[in-house]
Amino acid sequence: AEAAAYRRPEEERIDLEQFLGEIELEMTSAFTFYDTYSDILTQRSSPQLGVLMGGCDVLAWDALHKDHPALKIIEPPLVYCDRGFGASILREGVLFPDKSPNPMPLIQIPYSRLKEKWNLTSILHEAGHEAIIRLGLREALPKALRARLVRAGATESLADLFGLWASEIGPDFWAFCGSGTAQAAGVCEILSLPPGQVFSVSWTDPHPPPYLRVLLSFEWCRRVWGKGAWDMWEQDWCEMYPLEKSARSTREVLEKGKALLPVVAETLINTRFAELTGKTIPDLFSLSSVNPSALERTARTADSGTLNLRGLAPGAQLAVFRLIRDRGKLSDEVIDRMMTQWLVKLRRSRTQLVNSLNGST
Protein backbone atom coordinates (compact mmCIF):
# COMPACT_ATOMS: atom_id res chain seq x y z
CA ALA A 1 0.00 0.00 0.00
CA GLU A 2 2.85 2.33 0.87
CA ALA A 3 4.51 1.57 -2.45
CA ALA A 4 1.29 2.26 -4.32
CA ALA A 5 0.82 5.58 -2.51
CA TYR A 6 4.36 6.70 -3.29
CA ARG A 7 4.63 8.92 -6.35
CA ARG A 8 7.83 9.87 -8.06
CA PRO A 9 8.69 13.58 -8.30
CA GLU A 10 8.46 13.35 -12.10
CA GLU A 11 4.85 12.19 -11.86
CA GLU A 12 3.95 14.97 -9.47
CA ARG A 13 5.61 17.52 -11.76
CA ILE A 14 3.61 16.27 -14.76
CA ASP A 15 0.35 16.43 -12.78
CA LEU A 16 1.16 19.96 -11.61
CA GLU A 17 1.91 21.14 -15.15
CA GLN A 18 -1.33 19.63 -16.42
CA PHE A 19 -3.25 21.27 -13.59
CA LEU A 20 -1.66 24.66 -14.38
CA GLY A 21 -2.61 24.16 -18.04
CA GLU A 22 -6.24 23.59 -17.06
CA ILE A 23 -6.19 26.77 -14.97
CA GLU A 24 -4.76 28.68 -17.94
CA LEU A 25 -7.61 27.50 -20.19
CA GLU A 26 -10.23 28.39 -17.58
CA MET A 27 -8.71 31.84 -17.14
CA THR A 28 -8.74 32.39 -20.90
CA SER A 29 -12.45 31.59 -20.97
CA ALA A 30 -13.12 33.86 -18.01
CA PHE A 31 -11.20 36.71 -19.64
CA THR A 32 -13.60 36.55 -22.60
CA PHE A 33 -16.37 37.71 -20.29
CA TYR A 34 -14.08 40.18 -18.54
CA ASP A 35 -12.65 41.65 -21.75
CA THR A 36 -16.08 42.22 -23.29
CA TYR A 37 -17.39 44.17 -20.34
CA SER A 38 -14.03 45.87 -19.81
CA ASP A 39 -14.23 47.23 -23.37
CA ILE A 40 -17.76 48.46 -22.74
CA LEU A 41 -16.86 50.15 -19.45
CA THR A 42 -13.77 51.73 -21.01
CA GLN A 43 -15.88 53.21 -23.80
CA ARG A 44 -18.46 54.45 -21.29
CA SER A 45 -15.75 56.32 -19.42
CA SER A 46 -14.91 58.33 -22.52
CA PRO A 47 -16.51 61.81 -22.30
CA GLN A 48 -17.54 61.75 -25.97
CA LEU A 49 -17.96 58.10 -26.93
CA GLY A 50 -19.66 57.17 -23.67
CA VAL A 51 -22.38 59.78 -24.13
CA LEU A 52 -23.07 58.64 -27.69
CA MET A 53 -23.30 55.03 -26.57
CA GLY A 54 -25.82 56.05 -23.91
CA GLY A 55 -28.02 57.54 -26.64
CA CYS A 56 -27.66 54.36 -28.70
CA ASP A 57 -28.83 52.39 -25.65
CA VAL A 58 -32.13 54.26 -25.80
CA LEU A 59 -32.54 53.38 -29.48
CA ALA A 60 -31.96 49.71 -28.66
CA TRP A 61 -34.31 49.75 -25.67
CA ASP A 62 -37.08 51.42 -27.67
CA ALA A 63 -36.69 48.77 -30.37
CA LEU A 64 -36.96 45.93 -27.85
CA HIS A 65 -39.63 47.01 -25.41
CA LYS A 66 -42.99 46.19 -27.01
CA ASP A 67 -46.41 45.23 -25.68
CA HIS A 68 -45.78 41.52 -25.24
CA PRO A 69 -45.00 39.61 -22.02
CA ALA A 70 -41.83 38.11 -23.50
CA LEU A 71 -40.43 41.59 -24.12
CA LYS A 72 -41.23 43.01 -20.71
CA ILE A 73 -38.54 41.18 -18.78
CA ILE A 74 -35.44 42.01 -20.81
CA GLU A 75 -32.58 43.80 -19.14
CA PRO A 76 -31.90 47.19 -20.78
CA PRO A 77 -29.39 46.54 -23.59
CA LEU A 78 -25.95 48.09 -23.88
CA VAL A 79 -24.41 49.25 -27.15
CA TYR A 80 -20.68 49.38 -27.76
CA CYS A 81 -18.30 49.86 -30.69
CA ASP A 82 -15.81 47.47 -32.20
CA ARG A 83 -13.80 46.99 -35.37
CA GLY A 84 -15.27 45.36 -38.44
CA PHE A 85 -17.92 45.95 -41.07
CA GLY A 86 -21.19 44.69 -39.63
CA ALA A 87 -23.12 44.96 -36.39
CA SER A 88 -23.83 41.99 -34.10
CA ILE A 89 -25.53 41.06 -30.85
CA LEU A 90 -24.65 38.89 -27.90
CA ARG A 91 -28.11 38.02 -26.64
CA GLU A 92 -29.11 37.98 -23.00
CA GLY A 93 -28.59 34.55 -21.48
CA VAL A 94 -26.17 33.32 -24.15
CA LEU A 95 -23.31 31.46 -22.50
CA PHE A 96 -19.77 32.79 -22.50
CA PRO A 97 -16.97 30.21 -23.00
CA ASP A 98 -16.76 29.77 -19.23
CA LYS A 99 -20.48 28.80 -19.23
CA SER A 100 -21.54 31.95 -17.40
CA PRO A 101 -24.68 33.55 -18.91
CA ASN A 102 -24.50 36.97 -20.50
CA PRO A 103 -26.59 39.16 -18.15
CA MET A 104 -27.95 41.60 -20.74
CA PRO A 105 -28.21 42.10 -24.51
CA LEU A 106 -24.94 43.52 -25.86
CA ILE A 107 -25.19 45.17 -29.26
CA GLN A 108 -21.95 45.84 -31.09
CA ILE A 109 -21.80 48.37 -33.93
CA PRO A 110 -18.81 49.34 -36.09
CA TYR A 111 -17.09 52.58 -35.19
CA SER A 112 -18.01 53.80 -38.68
CA ARG A 113 -21.70 54.00 -37.70
CA LEU A 114 -20.85 56.97 -35.50
CA LYS A 115 -19.71 58.86 -38.60
CA GLU A 116 -22.87 57.91 -40.45
CA LYS A 117 -25.38 58.11 -37.63
CA TRP A 118 -28.34 58.02 -40.04
CA ASN A 119 -27.47 54.31 -40.46
CA LEU A 120 -27.93 53.47 -36.78
CA THR A 121 -30.87 51.33 -37.90
CA SER A 122 -28.29 48.55 -37.49
CA ILE A 123 -29.06 48.77 -33.77
CA LEU A 124 -32.75 48.12 -34.43
CA HIS A 125 -31.85 45.12 -36.60
CA GLU A 126 -29.71 43.60 -33.85
CA ALA A 127 -32.44 44.25 -31.28
CA GLY A 128 -34.74 42.36 -33.65
CA HIS A 129 -32.59 39.24 -33.23
CA GLU A 130 -33.20 39.33 -29.47
CA ALA A 131 -36.91 40.05 -29.87
CA ILE A 132 -37.60 37.32 -32.41
CA ILE A 133 -35.95 34.68 -30.25
CA ARG A 134 -37.83 35.80 -27.14
CA LEU A 135 -41.14 35.89 -28.98
CA GLY A 136 -40.73 32.28 -30.07
CA LEU A 137 -40.57 33.16 -33.76
CA ARG A 138 -37.25 31.47 -34.49
CA GLU A 139 -39.02 28.40 -35.89
CA ALA A 140 -42.41 29.95 -36.65
CA LEU A 141 -41.14 32.60 -39.06
CA PRO A 142 -39.22 30.31 -41.45
CA LYS A 143 -42.07 27.80 -41.29
CA ALA A 144 -44.56 30.47 -42.33
CA LEU A 145 -42.30 31.66 -45.15
CA ARG A 146 -41.70 28.17 -46.51
CA ALA A 147 -45.39 27.29 -46.49
CA ARG A 148 -46.47 30.53 -48.17
CA LEU A 149 -43.75 30.36 -50.83
CA VAL A 150 -44.57 26.75 -51.74
CA ARG A 151 -48.23 27.75 -52.12
CA ALA A 152 -47.08 30.56 -54.41
CA GLY A 153 -45.28 28.06 -56.66
CA ALA A 154 -41.71 28.26 -55.34
CA THR A 155 -39.56 25.16 -55.52
CA GLU A 156 -38.82 23.36 -52.28
CA SER A 157 -35.14 24.31 -52.52
CA LEU A 158 -35.90 28.01 -52.97
CA ALA A 159 -38.48 27.94 -50.16
CA ASP A 160 -35.85 26.31 -47.94
CA LEU A 161 -33.38 29.06 -48.83
CA PHE A 162 -35.82 31.75 -47.74
CA GLY A 163 -36.44 29.71 -44.61
CA LEU A 164 -32.71 29.78 -43.91
CA TRP A 165 -32.59 33.53 -44.60
CA ALA A 166 -35.54 34.17 -42.28
CA SER A 167 -33.17 34.57 -39.33
CA GLU A 168 -31.87 37.79 -40.96
CA ILE A 169 -34.98 38.82 -42.88
CA GLY A 170 -36.96 38.87 -39.62
CA PRO A 171 -34.65 41.38 -37.89
CA ASP A 172 -34.59 43.51 -41.06
CA PHE A 173 -38.37 43.64 -40.93
CA TRP A 174 -38.28 44.41 -37.20
CA ALA A 175 -36.04 47.40 -37.94
CA PHE A 176 -38.43 48.50 -40.69
CA CYS A 177 -41.39 48.40 -38.32
CA GLY A 178 -39.47 50.62 -35.90
CA SER A 179 -37.92 53.11 -38.32
CA GLY A 180 -39.84 52.87 -41.59
CA THR A 181 -38.00 53.86 -44.74
CA ALA A 182 -34.83 54.59 -42.76
CA GLN A 183 -34.28 50.83 -42.61
CA ALA A 184 -34.60 50.45 -46.38
CA ALA A 185 -32.37 53.43 -47.14
CA GLY A 186 -29.83 52.29 -44.57
CA VAL A 187 -29.52 48.69 -45.72
CA CYS A 188 -29.20 49.93 -49.32
CA GLU A 189 -26.31 52.21 -48.37
CA ILE A 190 -24.55 49.67 -46.13
CA LEU A 191 -24.81 46.83 -48.66
CA SER A 192 -23.62 48.81 -51.69
CA LEU A 193 -20.67 46.45 -52.12
CA PRO A 194 -18.69 45.00 -55.04
CA PRO A 195 -20.96 42.99 -57.39
CA GLY A 196 -19.34 39.69 -56.44
CA GLN A 197 -20.56 40.14 -52.87
CA VAL A 198 -23.95 41.64 -53.75
CA PHE A 199 -24.81 38.67 -55.97
CA SER A 200 -23.30 36.03 -53.67
CA VAL A 201 -25.66 33.15 -52.80
CA SER A 202 -24.83 30.71 -50.01
CA TRP A 203 -26.76 27.59 -49.04
CA THR A 204 -25.42 27.76 -45.49
CA ASP A 205 -25.14 31.48 -44.65
CA PRO A 206 -28.33 32.84 -42.99
CA HIS A 207 -27.73 36.24 -44.62
CA PRO A 208 -29.67 36.64 -47.87
CA PRO A 209 -27.77 37.84 -50.93
CA PRO A 210 -27.47 41.63 -50.54
CA TYR A 211 -29.13 41.98 -53.95
CA LEU A 212 -32.36 40.40 -52.68
CA ARG A 213 -32.09 41.79 -49.17
CA VAL A 214 -32.13 45.39 -50.38
CA LEU A 215 -34.95 44.81 -52.87
CA LEU A 216 -37.04 43.14 -50.15
CA SER A 217 -36.69 46.25 -47.99
CA PHE A 218 -38.04 48.35 -50.83
CA GLU A 219 -40.85 45.85 -51.32
CA TRP A 220 -42.29 46.15 -47.82
CA CYS A 221 -42.16 49.96 -48.13
CA ARG A 222 -44.28 49.57 -51.26
CA ARG A 223 -46.65 47.12 -49.58
CA VAL A 224 -47.31 49.46 -46.66
CA TRP A 225 -47.22 52.90 -48.32
CA GLY A 226 -47.67 52.35 -52.06
CA LYS A 227 -45.54 54.42 -54.43
CA GLY A 228 -42.72 56.50 -53.06
CA ALA A 229 -39.01 57.31 -53.11
CA TRP A 230 -38.22 53.61 -52.73
CA ASP A 231 -39.35 53.04 -56.32
CA MET A 232 -36.53 55.30 -57.50
CA TRP A 233 -34.13 53.62 -55.05
CA GLU A 234 -35.06 50.26 -56.54
CA GLN A 235 -34.47 51.49 -60.07
CA ASP A 236 -31.06 52.86 -59.12
CA TRP A 237 -30.19 49.61 -57.34
CA CYS A 238 -31.07 47.46 -60.34
CA GLU A 239 -29.14 49.74 -62.68
CA MET A 240 -26.09 49.57 -60.41
CA TYR A 241 -26.34 45.80 -60.11
CA PRO A 242 -27.84 44.33 -63.32
CA LEU A 243 -28.42 40.61 -62.96
CA GLU A 244 -26.56 40.01 -66.22
CA LYS A 245 -23.36 40.65 -64.24
CA SER A 246 -24.11 37.88 -61.75
CA ALA A 247 -22.56 34.42 -62.05
CA ARG A 248 -24.59 31.99 -64.13
CA SER A 249 -24.51 29.48 -61.28
CA THR A 250 -26.55 31.79 -59.03
CA ARG A 251 -28.48 33.94 -61.50
CA GLU A 252 -31.52 31.65 -61.59
CA VAL A 253 -31.81 31.74 -57.79
CA LEU A 254 -31.59 35.54 -57.82
CA GLU A 255 -34.14 35.91 -60.63
CA LYS A 256 -36.67 33.54 -59.06
CA GLY A 257 -36.01 34.93 -55.60
CA LYS A 258 -36.63 38.46 -56.85
CA ALA A 259 -39.98 37.41 -58.34
CA LEU A 260 -41.03 36.02 -54.95
CA LEU A 261 -40.20 39.11 -52.88
CA PRO A 262 -43.80 40.42 -52.93
CA VAL A 263 -44.90 37.09 -51.41
CA VAL A 264 -42.19 37.30 -48.75
CA ALA A 265 -43.14 40.88 -47.86
CA GLU A 266 -46.84 40.03 -47.70
CA THR A 267 -46.10 37.08 -45.41
CA LEU A 268 -44.11 39.22 -42.98
CA ILE A 269 -46.72 41.96 -42.93
CA ASN A 270 -49.91 39.91 -42.70
CA THR A 271 -49.13 36.57 -41.02
CA ARG A 272 -50.83 36.16 -37.64
CA PHE A 273 -48.67 34.07 -35.35
CA ALA A 274 -49.96 31.90 -32.54
CA GLU A 275 -46.83 32.93 -30.63
CA LEU A 276 -48.14 36.51 -30.76
CA THR A 277 -51.65 35.45 -29.67
CA GLY A 278 -52.95 35.89 -33.21
CA LYS A 279 -51.26 39.21 -33.86
CA THR A 280 -48.95 40.17 -36.72
CA ILE A 281 -45.44 41.49 -36.16
CA PRO A 282 -46.50 45.05 -37.19
CA ASP A 283 -49.23 44.90 -34.51
CA LEU A 284 -46.44 45.24 -31.93
CA PHE A 285 -45.50 48.59 -33.46
CA SER A 286 -47.25 51.70 -34.73
CA LEU A 287 -46.46 51.86 -38.43
CA SER A 288 -48.46 55.07 -38.68
CA SER A 289 -45.83 56.76 -36.47
CA VAL A 290 -43.18 56.16 -39.14
CA ASN A 291 -45.37 57.10 -42.11
CA PRO A 292 -42.89 58.82 -44.45
CA SER A 293 -45.37 61.53 -45.47
CA ALA A 294 -45.87 62.62 -41.87
CA LEU A 295 -42.20 62.40 -41.01
CA GLU A 296 -41.29 64.34 -44.14
CA ARG A 297 -43.15 67.35 -42.78
CA THR A 298 -41.08 67.13 -39.62
CA ALA A 299 -37.87 66.74 -41.64
CA ARG A 300 -38.57 69.94 -43.57
CA THR A 301 -38.53 71.98 -40.37
CA ALA A 302 -34.78 71.30 -40.09
CA ASP A 303 -34.18 73.71 -42.98
CA SER A 304 -35.02 76.62 -40.69
CA GLY A 305 -33.09 75.17 -37.75
CA THR A 306 -36.21 74.43 -35.67
CA LEU A 307 -36.40 70.66 -35.83
CA ASN A 308 -39.01 69.47 -33.35
CA LEU A 309 -39.00 65.73 -32.59
CA ARG A 310 -41.36 65.94 -29.63
CA GLY A 311 -43.86 63.09 -29.42
CA LEU A 312 -41.88 60.75 -31.69
CA ALA A 313 -40.34 57.50 -30.49
CA PRO A 314 -36.55 57.22 -30.85
CA GLY A 315 -36.88 54.96 -33.92
CA ALA A 316 -39.16 57.47 -35.62
CA GLN A 317 -36.75 60.26 -34.70
CA LEU A 318 -33.98 58.32 -36.40
CA ALA A 319 -36.22 58.02 -39.47
CA VAL A 320 -36.59 61.82 -39.54
CA PHE A 321 -32.82 62.27 -39.61
CA ARG A 322 -32.57 59.77 -42.44
CA LEU A 323 -35.16 61.78 -44.40
CA ILE A 324 -33.23 64.99 -43.71
CA ARG A 325 -30.11 63.38 -45.12
CA ASP A 326 -31.91 61.98 -48.17
CA ARG A 327 -33.40 65.40 -48.94
CA GLY A 328 -29.86 66.69 -49.50
CA LYS A 329 -30.52 70.20 -48.19
CA LEU A 330 -27.99 69.95 -45.34
CA SER A 331 -24.41 68.71 -45.45
CA ASP A 332 -23.40 65.47 -43.78
CA GLU A 333 -21.31 67.48 -41.31
CA VAL A 334 -24.31 69.56 -40.22
CA ILE A 335 -26.50 66.46 -39.88
CA ASP A 336 -23.79 64.71 -37.89
CA ARG A 337 -23.69 67.61 -35.41
CA MET A 338 -27.48 67.56 -35.13
CA MET A 339 -27.51 63.84 -34.52
CA THR A 340 -24.73 64.09 -31.95
CA GLN A 341 -26.83 66.57 -29.98
CA TRP A 342 -29.81 64.25 -30.42
CA LEU A 343 -27.95 61.24 -29.01
CA VAL A 344 -26.81 63.33 -26.06
CA LYS A 345 -30.44 64.22 -25.31
CA LEU A 346 -31.51 60.60 -25.70
CA ARG A 347 -28.82 59.56 -23.26
CA ARG A 348 -30.12 62.03 -20.68
CA SER A 349 -33.58 60.52 -21.03
CA ARG A 350 -32.35 56.93 -20.66
CA THR A 351 -33.18 56.44 -16.98
CA GLN A 352 -36.56 58.13 -17.35
CA LEU A 353 -37.40 56.09 -20.44
CA VAL A 354 -36.47 52.76 -18.87
CA ASN A 355 -38.46 53.55 -15.74
CA SER A 356 -41.53 54.61 -17.70
CA LEU A 357 -41.44 51.55 -19.95
CA ASN A 358 -41.10 49.33 -16.90
CA GLY A 359 -44.13 50.99 -15.37
CA SER A 360 -42.15 52.22 -12.34
CA THR A 361 -42.42 55.66 -10.78
Side-chain angles (χ1 to χ4, degrees):
E2 291 182 1
Y6 174 75
R7 304 190 68 213
R8 291 178 298 170
E10 293 81 2
E11 294 175 325
E12 292 182 348
R13 179 178 60 80
I14 291 172
D15 287 348
L16 177 61
E17 289 181 354
Q18 291 177 347
F19 178 66
L20 291 174
E22 292 173 1
I23 292 176
E24 185 71 23
L25 290 174
E26 290 179 4
M27 288 179 64
T28 300
S29 296
F31 278 137
T32 301
F33 176 93
Y34 172 81
D35 287 348
T36 299
Y37 279 89
S38 178
D39 287 345
I40 294 171
L41 292 172
T42 299
Q43 291 181 15
R44 294 304 168 116
S45 67
S46 167
Q48 294 181 336
L49 184 57
V51 171
L52 296 179
M53 291 296 95
C56 290
D57 290 346
V58 177
L59 268 177
W61 181 245
D62 175 65
L64 269 176
H65 203 101
K66 304 301 173 188
D67 187 18
H68 189 282
L71 300 180
K72 295 288 188 182
I73 55 175
I74 299 177
E75 288 295 320
L78 289 178
V79 180
Y80 69 104
C81 288
D82 205 347
R83 295 177 295 274
F85 171 74
S88 63
I89 185 171
L90 187 64
R91 291 186 292 103
E92 181 182 341
V94 169
L95 298 180
F96 283 99
D98 66 344
K99 306 305 180 185
S100 60
N102 179 39
M104 64 189 68
L106 299 178
I107 295 176
Q108 175 265 319
I109 60 173
Y111 282 101
S112 60
R113 291 293 181 276
L114 296 181
K115 293 301 294 180
E116 49 183 47
K117 297 179 179 69
W118 43 84
N119 285 334
L120 286 174
T121 44
S122 297
I123 293 174
L124 280 63
H125 170 93
E126 298 307 328
H129 279 289
E130 178 82 37
I132 284 170
I133 297 297
R134 283 183 169 270
L135 291 169
L137 297 178
R138 174 188 270 177
E139 289 80 26
L141 187 54
K143 182 178 178 181
L145 276 175
R146 288 191 192 98
R148 184 67 185 84
L149 286 167
V150 168
R151 289 201 304 272
T155 62
E156 291 282 352
S157 61
L158 192 54
D160 286 343
L161 264 181
F162 274 101
L164 170 68
W165 297 335
S167 62
E168 292 295 330
I169 289 174
D172 273 354
F173 186 63
W174 190 270
F176 165 75
C177 290
S179 63
T181 59
Q183 181 274 330
V187 78
C188 179
E189 185 171 333
I190 293 168
L191 294 181
S192 292
L193 303 168
Q197 292 174 271
V198 170
F199 294 129
S200 177
V201 177
S202 171
W203 278 259
T204 56
D205 186 353
H207 293 84
Y211 179 77
L212 296 179
R213 189 174 175 183
V214 170
L215 291 177
L216 178 57
S217 294
F218 299 153
E219 186 61 40
W220 48 54
C221 289
R222 187 176 298 114
R223 285 271 160 176
V224 174
W225 293 302
K227 294 182 179 180
W230 40 91
D231 296 313
M232 182 181 65
W233 299 343
E234 181 178 81
Q235 182 179 342
D236 291 344
W237 180 259
C238 291
E239 288 176 357
M240 186 181 299
Y241 299 106
L243 275 178
E244 302 81 65
K245 291 188 177 181
S246 63
R248 289 186 179 182
S249 58
T250 58
R251 191 174 307 165
E252 184 178 1
V253 171
L254 294 171
E255 288 175 342
K256 291 184 177 180
K258 180 181 178 181
L260 289 168
L261 294 183
V263 178
V264 176
E266 183 273 330
T267 303
L268 287 159
I269 293 168
N270 294 326
T271 299
R272 297 186 176 278
F273 293 96
E275 293 79 2
L276 304 181
T277 62
K279 294 181 179 179
T280 67
I281 293 175
D283 285 339
L284 300 175
F285 297 80
S286 174
L287 282 179
S288 61
S289 69
V290 290
N291 184 300
S293 297
L295 295 183
E296 178 71 27
R297 291 192 291 271
T298 302
R300 287 196 205 103
T301 65
D303 298 344
S304 61
T306 58
L307 181 64
N308 184 0
L309 299 173
R310 187 172 300 169
L312 295 177
Q317 294 176 15
L318 177 59
V320 170
F321 283 111
R322 181 74 219 198
L323 286 170
I324 291 172
R325 203 244 176 178
D326 291 340
R327 293 179 72 240
K329 297 290 184 70
L330 300 177
S331 68
D332 285 355
E333 290 75 15
V334 170
I335 298 171
D336 181 72
R337 287 197 296 270
M338 293 171 61
M339 295 194 72
T340 296
Q341 294 173 2
W342 167 66
L343 287 172
V344 170
K345 290 180 180 178
L346 280 186
R347 186 251 188 182
R348 290 173 184 161
S349 70
R350 184 179 188 274
T351 302
Q352 180 182 353
L353 177 65
V354 171
N355 287 341
S356 65
L357 290 175
N358 279 331
S360 57
T361 57

